[in-house]
Amino acid sequence: VRRSFPARVATPALAVGLILPLAACGQDTGPGASSSGAAEQGKTVTVTDARGSVEVPRSPQRVVAVDRVALDIMDYLGQEPVGVSQRVMPESLSKFSDKKYTDVGTQQELNFEEIAGLGPDLIVLGGRSATQYDEAKKIAPTLDITAAKGASTLDTLRTASTAIATVYGKEKQAA
């Protein structure tokens, strides 16, 4: 049985459908962006992450997802990364331990040579990996979904879900 994103990530009190319905509240401010979910090469979308507004590719095809929450949201939205940090993978995300996904190092110590070799369109960091943001940004546009200081779990998951769903034009699916 495939459990929904909130049931796998949020605490039981938050898992009752509170997180993803709120993702539809995000607004797409990028030029030419739509909610079709189809890849739109050369188009961008502006989303809000832990560092403010960031312009990223719309519906990126080659994503390195280091943060576990980001990986879970992408999985829920049906998006496959090309690279992940495979160390200490929770059972709910164990499929990403497969060799078809490139291991990009630990969350604390990313292998930037490996990441660059993947030619990512987008890198998603958060929490432990966010300290490596400046280096990651040299390779590809980078989202930081780190929790804001003092933010509740609900607010953190809402912000991350909104940002990632907006990148893929899947705000309705996340609702």
Side-chain angles (χ1 to χ4, degrees):
V1 173
R2 181 175 179 194
R3 293 172 34 201
S4 69
F5 162 72
R8 294 187 304 200
V9 174
T11 61
L14 295 175
V16 188
L18 293 176
I19 305 306
L20 289 174
L22 296 170
C25 298
Q27 293 208 355
D28 178 354
T29 58
S34 71
S35 295
S36 69
E40 298 175 355
Q41 300 295 5
K43 306 268 179 151
T44 60
V45 61
T46 302
V47 295
T48 301
D49 74 356
R51 297 171 188 260
S53 292
V54 60
E55 190 171 322
V56 299
R58 163 61 95 189
S59 299
Q61 300 299 303
R62 300 189 58 77
V63 178
V64 171
V66 179
D67 183 80
R68 300 288 184 260
V69 172
L71 188 57
D72 205 11
I73 294 166
M74 287 180 62
D75 186 38
Y76 177 81
L77 295 173
Q79 303 302 309
E80 295 261 326
V82 294
V84 299
S85 174
Q86 293 180 330
R87 310 298 193 306
V88 192
M89 192 66 73
E91 180 62 34
S92 63
L93 298 173
S94 63
K95 78 177 192 177
F96 295 107
S97 295
D98 190 280
K99 290 183 182 193
K100 79 177 191 174
Y101 304 101
T102 301
D103 185 3
V104 297
T106 68
Q107 291 185 35
Q108 296 86 353
E109 196 171 322
L110 295 173
N111 182 336
F112 289 107
E113 223 175 270
E114 193 75 51
I115 293 171
L118 291 171
D121 302 319
L122 179 66
I123 300 169
V124 185
L125 306 176
R128 296 178 184 124
S129 59
T131 59
Q132 300 168 85
Y133 179 87
D134 291 334
E135 192 67 27
K137 192 174 175 183
K138 292 176 187 175
I139 298 170
T142 303
L143 275 179
D144 177 1
I145 63 163
T146 300
K149 190 171 186 171
S152 69
T153 302
L154 175 61
D155 287 341
T156 299
L157 293 172
R158 180 186 306 129
T159 300
S161 296
T162 298
I164 295 170
T166 300
V167 166
Y168 286 102
K170 293 194 172 197
E171 301 89 343
K172 290 180 182 177
Q173 183 180 336

